Amino acid sequence: MTENHEEIKHEHTLYSEPIAHLGTFTITNSLLNSWLTVIIVVALALAIRKKITIVPTGLQNFFESVIELFLGLFDGVTGSREKSTQLAPFVMAFFFFILINNWLGILPGIGSVGMIVSEHGEKAFVPFFRGGTADLNTTLALATIGVAASHIFGVMMVGAWKHLNKFVNIQALLDIPKKILKDPTIILVNPIKIFVGLIEIVGEAAKVASLSFRLFGNIFAGEVLLASMSAILAFAIPIPFMFLEIIVGLTQAFIFSILILIYLSSNSTAEEH
């Protein structure tokens, strides 16, 4: 009597795998992980809100300490506690969403519960959850939202005309005939300003690419590293790397958030300042 053991593939892909469909909308495992992150964040917020007291204790005390720490760091970027307070809710939303997404991706059990699907005549294991930030779609969306918000905030703070002239410097062009008699060098300086503004447009696109690929690359590489170490020896070897990935997840969430803060602060400051 013989037994046939069919091999089941399980490999980390650069793309997220589909779990289900709602009409034409595809639900992927990274999307499920992001939804789970949102649920955790909302649940934590509601739990803290119900127990807010004048004298903080427990979770409230912990999160107030975290907020004070971040506000102190933000002041070094914005130069103003008022501006730090304005930007903190938006920036810290990025931090906690990315941090929890990063850490969920390395939790034991997250990547081991899934389903078996058939692909090209072969069976493959697809986990129900995959770290949301290990999917380029998620990091690209986060980067796009952050950079777009920096421009919206810039228009609100310095005005649409001044913000536009940081990139398409129409004002510099209009100033040439007005000031050329008083300052002939303007005919050389202002075209340079116009050219620099156009370069800034390219820089804005580079910001999105840099933010998204940095976060995606670090988190995806960490998951692949853990999977490789687990394949060698499932118990002892992966533990040091899991601690390393916890630190990497925290660091990447912090870097992403601080960069978003820098973009927000920079675009909300008039060019002459």
Side-chain angles (χ1 to χ4, degrees), residues 157-214:
M157 295 297 291
V158 302
W161 178 250
K162 284 186 178 180
H163 186 72
L164 174 65
N165 279 278
K166 287 184 177 181
F167 306 98
V168 184
N169 205 332
I170 302 170
Q171 187 62 54
L173 188 63
L174 296 175
D175 285 343
I176 293 175
K178 292 179 183 179
K179 300 179 180 180
I180 190 169
L181 294 176
K182 293 181 180 179
D183 183 12
T185 59
I186 199 171
I187 200 169
L188 296 174
V189 174
N190 279 26
I192 294 173
K193 288 183 179 180
I194 295 168
F195 180 70
V196 169
L198 296 176
I199 292 176
E200 285 293 324
I201 296 175
V202 179
E204 293 304 300
K207 287 178 184 178
V208 175
S210 173
L211 283 171
S212 54
F213 279 103
R214 180 191 292 108

Side-chain angles (χ1 to χ4, degrees), residues 8-13 15-20 26-30 32 109-119 122-130:
I8 298 174
K9 293 193 303 179
H10 182 202
E11 56 186 20
H12 277 76
T13 57
Y15 54 87
S16 56
E17 296 113 325
I19 299 297
T26 302
I27 300 174
T28 63
N29 47 11
S30 64
L32 283 179
I110 288 291
S112 59
V113 179
M115 59 184 184
I116 308 298
V117 297
S118 295
E119 293 181 348
E122 297 181 338
K123 288 187 176 181
F125 174 77
V126 176
F128 286 135
F129 295 96
R130 168 184 174 158

Side-chain angles (χ1 to χ4, degrees), residues 66-146:
V66 171
I67 291 170
E68 282 298 322
L69 174 63
F70 271 89
L71 285 175
L73 293 171
F74 291 176
D75 289 346
V77 175
T78 63
S80 164
R81 175 52 64 99
E82 182 183 357
K83 185 180 281 191
S84 297
T85 306
Q86 288 176 332
L87 299 177
F90 185 74
V91 175
M92 293 190 71
F94 274 97
F95 175 77
F96 285 113
F97 178 81
I98 294 171
L99 178 66
I100 295 173
N101 243 316
N102 291 349
W103 283 355
L104 279 178
I106 60 174
L107 278 180
I110 288 291
S112 59
V113 179
M115 59 184 184
I116 308 298
V117 297
S118 295
E119 293 181 348
H120 310 295
E122 297 181 338
K123 288 187 176 181
F125 174 77
V126 176
F128 286 135
F129 295 96
R130 168 184 174 158
T133 45
D135 178 14
L136 185 57
N137 292 306
T138 304
T139 59
L140 186 58
L142 289 169
T144 303
I145 292 169

